[in-house]
């Protein structure tokens, strides 16, 4: 009895402490709840009386923990669909997430509305954890003009015209990875193995960095960093966010060393990179030693006003690109291997297409033209991302009061959109639960129904890089192996990327030389 009472008292104390900490770290969210709660109608302006259907959940915390539990348990799509069904025929419902009243938008019309009203009615919003971990960078830019400035500088190195020069290197790195960590193995745990590969590739392409020990150390720190990205920013020892912040600071320390070493190589050791006009012209730098990679590009490229990125901006944006350039692709590649392991007939078609390309190469490295021939393979990848998007969704913030489907969305509300609920909608995708790559043939899909990379002016900057990376890996994997899943039906959760609970262990079956050359 005494033990039970003590345990209950401790649980209550911890609950109160957590509530106070949430109020501390979300200092404005609770005001919104009191302003628009059904128990405080007198405080709500007349324009906010026709709010979308739904429930805010618990005061302050809303339905945050319920959503996180569904997200990590692999049922976030059901969380949204259940509430959407209750709100029908409306395609928007209200809830509470991360200390804020939130409107969840569902369907392709909602995607079109949000993406088409960027900087007019809505703007990108990220939870405080993202701002604290990433610092000032492309995704956390304070203004549209600053976001456009950063996007323009970064996009030059990620545009298809720039990616052409990456294909040979990608193929060479992938061959080495397959040879080192897959060949000769009976079993492989896919997720951690592929994650090391995608991180090594990002380091190689973005920074021309190849030190295997430091790459391994940085990769381990990114694994810790990832756990805090979409989390309550409780920054004290023992919390995931505290560990993530420590990892982020350690990563920045290493990146700072790399950036400063690159400055020396470029003859920039005496230059102070500030937000003001640079003291030298970029044409005077020595860029021959680094093959014009992304890091060098960020160091020597100015905007239209002649301003260069300062050191903090460069480090934060490299951190962002390393994160996005390896975690998202790792998730897609892992899910691709899962589906191909479940669908041998699809795997056979991919193998046939890839071997036609491989046999035409005679052992030479892949070229850009070879990637364009992988049409069926990319349809398979696209269907994987339709059924299991790499990320669960994205946030916007209402800039003004506006009306959607007859409901008022008040200024300051957070807006959430989820690709999974739309991409499994049977009214948009016939036989939505079936794996069917042919959906991507012909004229394509209904507009804004397929949005794994987002849309509008904030569409994922690395979309083409991801496509190239995934197809090069797929090419090298299927021409060497078939495989079977060791845990059929393994649960997939989001943390924050789509991740198999046990890492997706598989058994490998190397192709015989006859099978390869006769295909």
């Amino acid at each position: 009895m005494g033990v039970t009472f003590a345990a209950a008292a401790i649980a209550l104390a911890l609950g109160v402490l957590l509530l106070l900490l949430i109020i501390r770290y979300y200092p404005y969210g609770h005001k919104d709840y009191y302003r628009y709660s059904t128990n405080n109608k007198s405080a709500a302006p007349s324009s906010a009386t026709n709010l979308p259907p739904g429930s805010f959940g618990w005061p302050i915390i809303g339905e945050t923990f319920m959503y996180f539990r569904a997200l990590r348990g692999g049922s976030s799509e059901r969380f949204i669909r259940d509430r959407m069904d209750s709100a029908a025929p409306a395609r928007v419902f209200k809830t509470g997430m991360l200390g804020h009243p939130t409107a969840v938008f569902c369907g392709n019309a909602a995607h079109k509305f949000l993406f088409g009203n960027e900087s007019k009615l809505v703007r990108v919003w990220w939870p405080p954890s993202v701002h604290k971990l990433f610092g000032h960078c492309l995704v956390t830019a304070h203004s549209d003009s600053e976001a456009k400035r950063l996007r323009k500088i970064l996009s030059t190195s990620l545009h298809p015209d720039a990616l052409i020069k990456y294909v040979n290197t990608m193929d060479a790195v992938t061959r080495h990875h397959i040879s080192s960590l897959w060949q000769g193995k009976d079993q492989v745990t896919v997720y951690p193995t592929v994650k090391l590969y995608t991180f090594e590739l990002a380091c190689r392409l973005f920074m021309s960095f190849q030190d295997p020990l430091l790459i391994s150390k940085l990769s381990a720190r990114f694994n810790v960093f990832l756990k805090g990205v979409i989390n309550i920013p409780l920054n004290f020892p023992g919390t995931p966010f505290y560990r993530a912040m420590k990892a982020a600071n350690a990563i920045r320390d290493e990146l700072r060393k790399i950036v400063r070493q690159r400055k020396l190589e470029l003859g920039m050791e005496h230059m102070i990179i500030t937000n003001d006009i640079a003291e030298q012209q970029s044409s005077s730098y020595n860029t021959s030693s680094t093959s014009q990679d992304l890091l060098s590009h960020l160091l020597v490229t100015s905007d239209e006003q002649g301003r260069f990125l300062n050191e903090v901006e460069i480090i934060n944006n490299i951190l962002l690109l390393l994160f996005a350039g390896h975690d998202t692709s790792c998730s897609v590649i892992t899910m691709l291997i899962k589906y191909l392991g479940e669908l041998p007939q699809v795997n056979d078609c991919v193998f046939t297409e890839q071997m036609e390309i491989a046999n035409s190469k005679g052992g030479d490295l892949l070229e850009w033209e070879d990637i364009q021939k992988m049409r069926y393979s990319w349809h398979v990848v696209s269907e994987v991302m339709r059924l299991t998007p790499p990320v669960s969704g994205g946030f916007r913030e209402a800039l003004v009061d506006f009306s959607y489907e007859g409901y008022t969305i008040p200024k300051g509300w957070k807006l959430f959109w989820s690709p999974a609920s739309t991409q499994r909608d049977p009214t948009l995708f016939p036989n939505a639960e079936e794996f069917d790559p042919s959906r991507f043939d012909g004229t394509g899909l209904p507009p804004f129904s397929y949005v794994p990379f987002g849309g509008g002016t904030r569409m994922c900057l690395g979309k083409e890089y991801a496509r190239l990376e995934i197809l090069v890996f797929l090419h090298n994997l299927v021409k060497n192996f078939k495989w079977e899943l060791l845990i059929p039906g393994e649960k997939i959760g989001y943390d924050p990327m789509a991740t198999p609970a046990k890492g997706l262990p598989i058994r490998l079956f190397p192709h015989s030389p006859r099978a390869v050359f006769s295909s």
Side-chain angles (χ1 to χ4, degrees):
M1 182 71 138
V3 174
T4 303
F5 178 79
I10 291 172
L12 178 62
L14 289 174
V16 171
L17 176 62
L18 179 61
L19 187 61
L20 292 173
L21 286 168
I22 291 172
I23 294 174
R24 164 67 180 84
Y25 284 97
Y26 291 93
Y28 304 109
H30 63 289
K31 296 179 183 177
D32 289 335
Y33 272 102
Y34 293 134
R35 184 182 178 198
Y36 295 125
S37 69
T38 54
N39 296 325
N40 191 28
K41 293 180 180 178
S42 62
S46 59
S47 62
T49 55
N50 191 30
L51 300 178
S55 169
F56 286 124
W58 290 92
I60 302 172
I61 60 175
E63 295 189 297
T64 301
F65 296 131
M66 293 176 65
Y67 178 70
F68 276 11
R69 184 166 63 247
L71 190 67
R72 286 163 185 163
S75 58
S76 61
E77 189 265 341
R78 186 171 63 195
F79 174 95
I80 291 175
R81 187 161 295 280
D82 287 348
R83 286 155 180 78
M84 186 171 65
D85 290 344
S86 297
R91 302 286 286 176
V92 59
F93 65 86
K94 69 175 181 285
T95 183
M97 287 189 185
L98 298 170
H100 297 277
T102 303
V104 179
F105 284 69
C106 305
N108 60 328
H111 295 160
K112 180 180 181 180
F113 178 86
L114 291 177
F115 299 153
N117 282 290
E118 191 72 49
S119 304
K120 301 171 189 173
L121 302 179
V122 305
R123 66 182 174 191
V124 167
W125 180 84
W126 292 99
S129 56
V130 173
H131 286 267
K132 292 175 183 292
L133 285 169
F134 285 101
H136 179 63
C137 63
L138 175 63
V139 298
T140 61
H142 302 304
S143 65
D144 291 333
S145 60
E146 181 63 10
K148 290 177 181 177
R149 171 186 175 243
L150 292 173
R151 190 177 184 90
K152 187 170 183 180
I153 292 174
L154 292 168
S155 63
T156 304
S157 292
L158 296 171
H159 190 274
D161 291 342
L163 293 175
I164 291 174
K165 67 178 183 291
Y166 290 166
V167 180
N168 279 180
T169 302
M170 275 191 177
D171 194 23
V173 171
T174 308
R175 290 185 186 191
H176 180 264
H177 168 78
I178 295 290
S179 175
S180 301
L181 297 180
W182 296 68
Q183 287 180 350
K185 303 289 179 63
D186 177 55
Q187 297 181 14
V188 168
T189 303
V190 172
Y191 187 78
T193 307
V194 171
K195 195 164 190 179
L196 185 59
Y197 157 76
T198 56
F199 187 73
E200 177 187 358
L201 188 62
C203 288
R204 176 79 173 266
L205 296 179
F206 296 164
M207 303 186 296
S208 302
F209 189 71
Q210 303 181 52
D211 182 341
L213 293 179
L214 184 54
I215 287 174
S216 179
K217 183 167 70 171
L218 284 174
S219 178
R221 287 174 174 164
F222 263 100
N223 290 339
V224 177
F225 172 88
L226 180 67
K227 300 297 182 182
V229 172
I230 305 297
N231 217 312
I232 297 172
L234 304 179
N235 195 17
F236 58 85
T239 65
F241 184 77
Y242 177 83
R243 292 190 291 269
M245 282 295 293
K246 286 190 66 177
N249 291 334
I251 293 167
R252 283 189 174 89
D253 288 343
E254 297 295 346
L255 293 180
R256 188 173 296 107
K257 295 174 186 176
I258 295 170
V259 168
R260 291 180 177 177
Q261 177 60 35
R262 180 62 58 84
K263 288 181 182 179
L264 292 175
E265 295 172 1
L266 295 175
M268 300 171 63
E269 62 271 23
H270 300 302
M271 179 180 176
I272 300 174
I273 303 289
T274 69
N275 281 328
D276 301 322
I277 294 177
E279 297 175 6
Q280 300 182 38
Q281 296 296 317
S282 61
S283 59
S284 67
Y285 307 147
N286 171 26
T287 59
S288 61
S289 61
T290 56
S291 69
Q292 303 285 333
D293 62 15
L294 177 64
L295 175 56
S296 289
H297 172 74
L298 296 182
L299 281 166
V300 305
T301 302
S302 64
D303 63 17
E304 293 174 350
Q305 283 71 47
R307 295 176 301 167
F308 286 79
L309 299 180
N310 62 42
E311 185 174 87
V312 172
E313 289 176 315
I314 291 172
I315 290 170
N316 286 346
N317 281 288
I318 287 288
L319 186 151
L320 169 67
L321 291 174
L322 287 175
F323 163 76
H326 90 280
D327 272 308
T328 307
S329 297
C330 173
S331 175
V332 175
I333 290 172
T334 301
M335 293 301 103
L336 175 62
I337 292 172
K338 172 185 177 293
Y339 279 103
L340 291 180
E342 295 171 339
L343 301 164
Q345 71 280 12
V346 176
N347 199 339
D348 288 344
C349 292
V350 171
F351 175 75
T352 298
E353 179 178 79
Q354 295 298 334
M355 289 313 304
E356 288 178 359
I357 296 169
N359 291 336
S360 71
K361 300 296 295 179
D364 292 342
L365 293 171
L366 291 171
E367 302 286 351
W368 180 259
E369 293 75 17
D370 300 314
I371 305 300
Q372 311 319 307
K373 299 174 184 176
M374 301 179 185
R375 188 167 178 269
Y376 177 78
S377 296
W378 183 243
H379 287 176
V380 170
V381 176
S382 299
E383 182 70 345
V384 168
M385 290 191 289
R386 182 187 72 83
L387 288 167
T388 310
V391 295
S392 60
F395 284 97
R396 297 293 191 272
E397 180 180 45
L399 292 172
V400 296
D401 288 3
F402 65 83
S403 177
Y404 182 77
E405 288 198 350
Y407 297 103
T408 297
I409 308 298
K411 177 182 177 180
W413 271 35
K414 311 314 173 199
L415 319 171
F416 184 75
W417 61 274
S418 169
S421 60
T422 300
Q423 292 174 183
R424 287 178 179 259
D425 186 340
T427 65
L428 298 170
F429 298 91
N431 302 312
E433 298 301 318
E434 293 183 8
F435 192 96
D436 181 8
S438 68
R439 300 179 197 277
F440 296 88
D441 288 333
T443 57
L445 306 171
F448 297 96
S449 63
Y450 176 72
V451 288
F453 296 103
T457 59
R458 293 288 189 145
M459 181 177 285
C460 175
L461 190 64
K463 174 184 176 181
E464 289 301 322
Y465 173 86
R467 174 177 173 269
L468 182 58
E469 178 180 26
I470 293 164
L471 288 175
V472 169
F473 186 90
L474 177 63
H475 173 81
N476 282 279
L477 183 66
V478 299
K479 76 177 186 180
N480 282 286
F481 305 103
K482 281 196 172 184
W483 58 90
E484 67 178 12
L485 306 181
L486 293 178
I487 308 177
E490 183 176 353
K491 186 173 73 173
I492 306 298
Y494 284 80
D495 194 21
M497 308 291 178
T499 310
K502 302 296 183 181
L504 199 72
I506 61 173
R507 178 171 287 110
L508 296 173
F509 300 97
H511 291 304
S512 66
R514 170 179 289 184
V516 171
F517 288 109
S518 64
S519 62

